[in-house]
Amino acid sequence: MQKLYQWEKRMILRLSGSNHPAADKLMLWTTRMGNGGLVWIVISLIMIGMGWRLEGLMTLAALSLTAFLINLVVKPMFTRKRPYEILETVRTRIAPPFGSSFPSGHAASSFAAASMLWFLNMPFKHWALVLAFLIAVSRVHLMVHFPSDVLVGAVSGIVISYLTYLLALRVGIQVARARLEQLPWLAGQAKLTGGCVLCAVKDSLRVLT
């Protein structure tokens, strides 16, 4: 752990000594998109408005659950200071954030939303991961997180999102079974289709939708 900290320290010091105004503006703009999960909330609402209602709600669920667990449960368990609080020559490039540096809430929420879009195989899933990556990197560039904060945050977001995805699938299957059991004409419909139960199920699902 000590070697990891020394590596992170050297990286932060080297980064703080660089001067790239264009990169600073890009990272500042990117990190603001991740504040409060704003960009992911907007994307989810757009998805709902465009007809991807279930996908949008699942993305919001993963985002909300991750934000709750990371910011209100995990972060209070750690007291790791941020780079600008530890290293005297380092100055944060944004307003000092509140709370522990470990793990990164921006990285966790961004990767939770982006990975959910990936699990759901949304057409823009690749762009979502790129955006999540940029938001995570911006936290290091702006001197408010160490790389390990961002890495653990990203992994945590992916894991929580995947568990949310599995839970949603399980609930969806249970609901579908319950609704099918309430269709008294399913057996009779199977007889009409020559005993093709699969055909009967497909026809019943059309009725449900």
Side-chain angles (χ1 to χ4, degrees):
M1 293 298 293
Q2 187 63 25
K3 290 184 178 181
L4 174 61
Y5 171 70
Q6 292 300 327
W7 176 81
E8 289 186 309
K9 180 179 177 181
R10 288 194 299 270
M11 179 181 178
I12 292 294
L13 289 173
R14 189 179 300 113
L15 185 60
S16 66
S18 62
N19 184 22
H20 301 286
D24 292 345
K25 290 182 180 180
L26 174 62
M27 293 292 100
L28 180 60
W29 180 75
T30 303
T31 208
R32 285 175 175 172
M33 293 177 65
N35 288 346
L38 177 61
V39 66
W40 307 111
I41 294 175
V42 171
I43 290 175
S44 299
L45 293 178
I46 292 176
M47 289 168 59
I48 294 174
M50 293 181 64
W52 288 313
R53 182 181 178 185
L54 179 59
E55 291 85 348
L57 291 176
M58 288 178 65
T59 303
L60 284 175
L63 177 66
S64 301
L65 182 58
T66 301
F68 171 78
L69 291 176
I70 296 298
N71 294 318
L72 300 181
V73 178
V74 179
K75 270 182 175 287
M77 297 171 61
F78 298 91
T79 58
R80 188 179 194 184
K81 294 184 178 181
R82 299 177 184 273
Y84 67 87
E85 296 177 309
I86 298 176
L87 306 174
E88 294 181 358
T89 59
V90 172
R91 296 290 181 271
T92 177
R93 294 167 180 172
I94 58 175
F98 174 79
S100 171
S101 179
F102 183 88
S104 169
H106 277 66
S109 59
S110 294
F111 272 90
S115 58
M116 178 59 77
L117 296 176
W118 185 275
F119 300 146
L120 295 171
N121 197 30
M122 300 304 294
F124 46 88
K125 60 182 181 181
H126 296 90
W127 293 109
L129 285 179
V130 171
L131 179 57
F133 176 78
L134 289 175
I135 291 176
V137 170
S138 73
R139 305 305 286 171
V140 177
H141 183 88
L142 298 173
M143 307 295 159
V144 292
H145 282 294
F146 289 101
S148 57
D149 301 332
V150 168
L151 178 60
V152 173
V155 173
S156 300
I158 294 172
V159 171
I160 296 172
S161 182
Y162 185 61
L163 294 176
T164 304
Y165 174 74
L166 292 180
L167 178 62
L169 285 182
R170 185 177 182 84
V171 171
I173 291 174
Q174 294 298 328
V175 171
R177 285 177 178 173
R179 296 184 69 178
L180 286 174
E181 289 174 356
Q182 295 174 2
L183 298 177
W185 62 86
L186 182 58
Q189 191 173 3
K191 293 180 180 179
L192 293 176
T193 55
C196 178
V197 178
L198 180 60
C199 296
V201 172
K202 288 182 177 179
D203 292 339
S204 299
L205 287 176
R206 291 195 189 97
V207 174
L208 291 176
T209 56

